[in-house]
Amino acid sequence: MCAADMPKNALSVLLTAVQPDNYRTVKRQKINNPPEEKQSHINEAQPQAGLSNDPSEAANLLRKQFHIRVKGRSVPSPLQEFQAVRKNGEFYERLLQNLKWSGFVAPTPVQRQVVPVLLQGREVLAVAPTGSGKTLAFLLPLVINAKRAALKGQEGLKALMISPTRELAEQTARVLLLLVRGLRLQCCLLTAAAVVAGVEFSKMDMAVTTPLRMSKAARRANLSTVRWLILDEADKLFEEGLTKQIDRVIAACTHPRLVVSLFSATMPERVEELARSMLKAPVKVTVGERNAPASSVQQRLVYVGQESGKLMALRDALQSGLRPPVLVFTNSRQRATMLHRDLALEDMCVASISAEQTPAARTKVVDQFREGRIHVLVCTDLMARGIDFPNVQTVVSYDFPHSSIDYIHRIGRTGRAGRQGDSITFFEEKDSGQLTRVANLMHQSDMEVPDWMRHMKKEKPHLKQLRHDRRKAAATQKTQQGP
Ligand SMILES: Nc1ncnc2c1ncn2[C@@H]1O[C@H](COP(=O)(O)OP(=O)(O)OP(=O)(O)O)[C@@H](O)[C@H]1O
């Protein structure tokens, strides 16, 4: 983040928000001692030598090799390597070096296809598994586009990225920081404190934020210069409760050539329809199976009888060698707090996180978990989307997830970036009506599931409605409280 031109108080707010200590640590480590190459990624097949010279045939071969499917007119070929983004301009060298220092050696499948499409200035609708590198897929081309625009003398905010939670926005801002080192681009993580401090958008090139923060800021800020708008975890952003805020942001982005792009690991049909209605001619990029769990996660269902059996089952699992760090999902803040208390009584290195904690407290817990100082983190679905704890070995769904989509995102907190992970989902008698959904997802991922689980009676319509109403009420409550 280039500090020189920023207003003083806004700068301190922004730098506080992006955790300067952590960043400096990362920066020093990377500069003095480039990290080992990150583990080779999902579908790690290398482009084969001897590809045909016909670009479309070569492109199709690459797509087949990396399980990429595309829809759209004249879709550019997937990248063979990051170096292929290089054009005339000194900044490319620095950017490629930043990628290397950050451990990004070869593009992942979603990056191979999305980067060239966004560099062509086209809209993208990207659906790729959890942990497959979607963040860099949009950040890399946006940094290039923003830098090119800045070099042409274009002023004002050029790229805006929206994430559903503050934690995710903070994480995206960290990756952005790694990419823009030495590029003289002004970037900000727009937090509540930054809004209060009156961030000067006219001085920023790129910003990352949440729907609530941005919709509030949109009342005062000039967003007419924003050319690139990314909606990360897009299906979440289109859920009831957040749509109004997103609408307000989109309405404020009045650039005539605005490019909106959507990313997620899941995209239900109805959400895709809604999303398409706001895009002009998107290129759709799908990697792997649509709406499916990451294949790197071993999934297990465990019957716990009744509520009272859950704590015992978790204790047993932890004592019988569940590999830490472990992320445990509950369905409410109260339940997270209670479980935290119960586990702490057993001398476990445990913490919990939920929306009612202050932003600073949440950031502290997340950092301690990342650093390995907390072995078990009890959380709610606040942490189910997008959060990247590369070392999480096991995800436990202590409470049965509300939907298949929630299940996919929860278990996707492990098995990331080419690593393997384990997930355990507890179910009790009252969950039996919803069991089939998860059992079918597991079957789809070639996990062993008893046949009876996949063919149980469907949930009764009135119970389904009740569950829907509860989720809606919870979403509204969350939105009112803000991220
Ligand atoms: N090209 C790459 N090479 C090596 N590691 C990478 C590469 N791109 C991303 N990663 C790593 O992969 C991990 C997952 O990336 P990211 O968080 O972007 O996934 P995602 O697809 O957005 O997942 P989710 O759907 O859960 O949000 C991160 O730790 C990231 O640093």
Side-chain angles (χ1 to χ4, degrees), residues 198 286 397 451:
T286 311
S397 274
D451 270 356

Side-chain angles (χ1 to χ4, degrees), residues 62 79 188 225 253 290 420 425 477:
L62 267 178
L79 293 182
C188 80
T225 55
C253 295
R290 194 190 151 94
Q420 296 295 310
T425 303
Q477 194 189 4

Side-chain angles (χ1 to χ4, degrees), residues 37-42 82 102-108 110-111 128-138 168 171 175 232-233 264-266 384-390 409 412-413 416-419:
E37 289 179 8
K38 286 204 177 183
Q39 232 172 316
S40 46
H41 219 272
I42 309 90
F82 282 131
S102 309
F104 303 130
V105 177
T108 66
V110 66
Q111 292 161 6
T130 51
S132 63
K134 294 184 285 297
T135 314
L136 188 64
F138 60 76
L168 187 50
Q171 182 179 291
V175 184
D232 192 14
E233 306 292 342
S264 187
T266 49
R385 290 261 184 172
I387 298 295
D388 185 50
F389 294 122
H409 287 278
R413 295 318 98 208
R416 299 175 70 75
R419 295 177 178 84

Side-chain angles (χ1 to χ4, degrees), residues 158-169:
K158 297 156 188 72
L160 182 59
M161 287 139 282
I162 314 254
S163 304
T165 63
R166 201 183 63 87
E167 279 70 18
L168 187 50

Side-chain angles (χ1 to χ4, degrees), residues 317-332:
L318 289 168
Q319 278 162 8
S320 64
L322 210 68
R323 294 179 299 158
V326 181
L327 199 54
V328 183
F329 283 96
T330 60
N331 283 353
S332 73

